[in-house]
Amino acid sequence: MTDTFDFMELDIETAHRGYKEGTFTARDVTAYYLIRIAQFNDKLRAVIQVNPDALFEAEAADRAFRRGVRLPLLGIPVLIKDNVETDGLMKTTAGAVALAHHFAGRDAHLVQSLRASGAIILGKANLSEWANFLTEGMPNGWSGVGGQTLNPYGDKLDVGGSSSGSASAVAANLTLLAVGSETSGSIIHPSVHNGIVGIKPTVGLISRSGIIPISRSQDTAGPMARTLEDAVRALEVMVGEDPTDPATLNLPAGPPYRTCLDERQAVGMRVGVVKADLSEEEQSLYGEAIELLKQSGIDLVEVELPAHDTLDQGDILYHEFKLGIEAYLASTTLPYETLSDLIDWNNEHPETIPHGQKTFEKADELSGRLIEAAYLTRRLDDVRDAKTDGLDRLLNEQRLHGLVLPHDYNYDMAAKAGHPTITIPYRLKASGAPFGLSFTGTSYAERDLIRLAYAFERHVTRPVPPL
């Protein structure tokens, strides 16, 4: 590996320039991240498994570069959250000991897209076990397979969940890019807490095929990176229609997402500044960040989120999880057919689930057929309260391109509505914990949110953890 280039905070553009100029190779970069994992993963527990073929994939990328091949992510290492299927000698465990020996034998649709773009699959990232849908009160970032993921900004700080390993690894420079998944806050929450960029896209923008499911209504995957540009480059690759996922079959046309990385495009945009109940320190940081948006020529309007006390995150998820997980099990060679089978295995091995499995048990009480009046009513009510009469009404009545919120404030409404959110880190609080902004809009508003987020990011420098 070259000793003349510092790979800390490496981005895609710099990596590709280095490959083209011969300053370093994709193998050098991949080896660097493997060394970082060796140095810091025993502490952070952000990575569950390294791909044994990663260096071979890097060498293949180098050969392709020398032949003149140019692909969006050629030679770029990516960590995949371990509830997303990967082919080869990588397991897909969801962090659960019950799945500890599960080789999916196939790539999720989004992983196929990443490979087709030239990406190197570096390995699998730790997560809150079963994407935080196993039980109540389990620490963020804990899994039976991977242990407790830690925040690189401080052992005592919340690492966020459930894409904890993806966020911690990106923040600590254990990878260049990572993929997370979200049902309700699982990309946004850890991205904010680890001071990185996270894009939770509109549900259906990225295929869910090959992701161990929680909710068909709310599940999505998304990119996590140190810069918005890198996250957007990954987003462009991951977006696409998939015949096996009907939610992806209505993608709107528009310019490439990267063309929105231009602060001039944000001038004159109208944005709602959401009032929030914050500490004095956080309110001060929020005010400073809003002033930076003003300097970008953005028209800011103070707004309040619609009341949404009726939104219960659990109701829909319990019903849809049972159906989704049993359909997933049927597509595998795992020795389980039903959610009850998983519960029984856990009961026979209680040492593997020290926090219990109350969520599993509650979901198993339901039919899994989605015929209950309580489910159907709640599903329609959620769309109305979160989307139609919620975020969309606010955006339309105030003629807003988007909303800006402090850190991961009220991510549940966007999750229920299926709307996109982008996080951008700002500064560290006195505790050493990162603080940032989130930008939310209506369905398929990613381009507007990228314009706004990029205008803000131009004013700040991402803090780097003290490793």
Side-chain angles (χ1 to χ4, degrees):
M1 183 171 65
T2 180
D3 296 322
T4 59
F5 194 90
D6 184 2
F7 293 116
M8 279 290 286
E9 300 292 292
L10 183 68
D11 58 36
I12 295 171
E13 182 179 359
T14 305
H16 279 173
R17 185 168 60 247
Y19 301 162
K20 182 178 179 180
E21 297 174 352
T23 309
F24 51 82
T25 65
R27 193 187 192 285
D28 291 332
V29 170
T30 303
Y32 169 79
Y33 289 125
L34 293 175
I35 290 170
R36 293 281 295 180
I37 291 170
Q39 289 176 324
F40 298 109
N41 197 59
D42 281 350
K43 173 184 178 181
L44 296 176
R45 295 192 176 276
V47 181
I48 278 185
Q49 182 185 352
V50 161
N51 176 13
D53 289 326
L55 289 175
F56 294 123
E57 292 181 17
E59 290 167 354
D62 287 329
R63 288 193 295 272
F65 229 97
R66 289 194 295 270
R67 293 196 309 269
V69 175
R70 296 295 181 264
L71 295 170
L73 298 182
L74 184 59
I76 301 301
V78 184
L79 271 179
I80 308 295
K81 185 176 178 180
D82 201 28
N83 63 340
V84 180
E85 291 185 329
T86 45
D87 199 358
L89 298 182
M90 286 178 287
K91 301 172 184 177
T92 301
T93 73
V97 178
L99 272 60
H101 303 293
H102 173 40
F103 290 94
R106 59 196 179 194
D107 282 332
H109 186 274
L110 71 89
V111 177
Q112 294 174 21
S113 299
L114 288 168
R115 288 192 192 275
S117 76
I120 298 163
I121 307 303
L122 188 62
K124 306 299 286 287
N126 201 3
L127 67 160
S128 304
E129 187 168 329
W130 288 105
N132 208 22
F133 208 72
L134 171 66
T135 192
E136 301 167 5
M138 186 174 70
N140 284 325
W142 189 91
S143 77
V145 174
Q148 178 61 58
T149 305
L150 295 181
N151 189 322
Y153 284 94
D155 296 354
K156 305 299 183 183
L157 299 175
D158 187 3
V159 71
S162 66
S163 302
S164 321
S166 299
S168 176
V170 169
N173 283 272
L174 307 189
T175 184
L176 203 157
L177 289 174
V179 170
S181 70
E182 172 159 333
T183 304
S184 183
S186 290
I187 291 173
I188 302 308
H189 191 237
S191 293
V192 167
H193 283 272
N194 291 272
I196 66 167
V197 175
I199 300 181
K200 180 263 180 183
T202 301
V203 171
L205 200 66
I206 296 172
S207 172
R208 286 87 51 85
S209 298
I211 302 175
I212 297 176
I214 293 178
S215 164
R216 197 64 169 175
S217 301
Q218 297 178 210
D219 287 352
T220 184
M224 304 168 78
R226 288 183 290 275
T227 69
L228 180 61
E229 181 173 350
D230 282 0
V232 168
R233 285 172 180 256
L235 177 69
E236 286 189 328
V237 164
M238 295 165 68
V239 168
E241 292 188 355
D242 174 8
T244 69
D245 185 352
T248 68
L249 303 182
N250 190 34
L251 301 182
Y257 294 103
R258 264 185 292 169
T259 64
C260 302
L261 294 166
D262 180 352
E263 61 267 35
R264 295 169 298 180
Q265 295 183 25
V267 174
M269 293 182 72
R270 187 173 167 87
V271 177
V273 179
V274 174
K275 295 180 182 178
D277 183 16
L278 304 171
S279 69
E280 184 177 344
E281 180 190 22
E282 289 174 336
Q283 191 62 60
S284 176
L285 290 170
Y286 190 32
E288 291 174 12
I290 296 304
E291 285 299 317
L292 295 178
L293 285 174
K294 285 183 181 179
Q295 293 177 25
S296 297
I298 296 170
D299 184 14
L300 300 172
V301 182
E302 194 171 75
V303 299
E304 292 187 13
L305 287 177
H308 56 289
D309 296 338
T310 59
L311 291 177
D312 184 331
Q313 285 296 320
D315 284 359
I316 297 298
L317 309 190
Y318 290 122
H319 286 271
E320 295 185 349
F321 175 71
K322 182 173 183 178
L323 175 65
I325 196 61
E326 292 185 351
Y328 178 77
L329 292 172
S331 74
T332 73
T333 58
L334 287 163
Y336 317 107
E337 294 183 357
T338 65
L339 178 55
S340 295
D341 292 340
L342 288 170
I343 291 171
D344 290 345
W345 191 93
N346 288 338
N347 283 332
E348 292 168 5
H349 304 84
E351 71 283 358
T352 69
I353 53 164
H355 308 287
Q357 54 178 339
K358 289 182 180 178
T359 303
F360 266 27
E361 291 165 349
K362 187 170 182 178
D364 198 43
E365 295 171 358
L366 304 171
S367 75
R369 292 182 290 153
L370 308 187
I371 60 173
E372 291 87 351
Y375 165 77
L376 294 170
T377 301
R378 172 62 71 184
R379 177 75 183 100
L380 297 174
D381 285 350
D382 278 357
V383 172
R384 182 196 65 223
D385 294 342
K387 181 178 174 67
T388 310
D389 292 343
L391 291 174
D392 284 356
R393 174 170 289 183
L394 173 61
L395 291 162
N396 290 331
E397 289 182 349
Q398 296 289 337
R399 296 176 290 110
L400 302 173
H401 292 93
L403 302 173
V404 60
L405 307 92
H407 47 78
D408 54 354
Y409 191 77
N410 281 98
Y411 55 75
D412 55 340
M413 281 197 79
K416 285 289 188 182
H419 287 353
T421 302
I422 297 177
T423 68
I424 301 292
Y426 175 43
R427 286 176 53 188
L428 299 182
K429 296 189 285 188
S431 65
F435 178 91
L437 296 184
S438 293
F439 297 86
T440 293
T442 191
S443 292
Y444 304 110
E446 279 80 3
R447 291 176 178 83
D448 279 344
L449 299 186
I450 290 167
R451 293 180 180 106
L452 296 170
Y454 189 74
F456 174 66
E457 189 189 48
R458 297 300 86 201
H459 292 282
V460 300
T461 300
R462 190 188 85 84
V464 179
L467 288 178

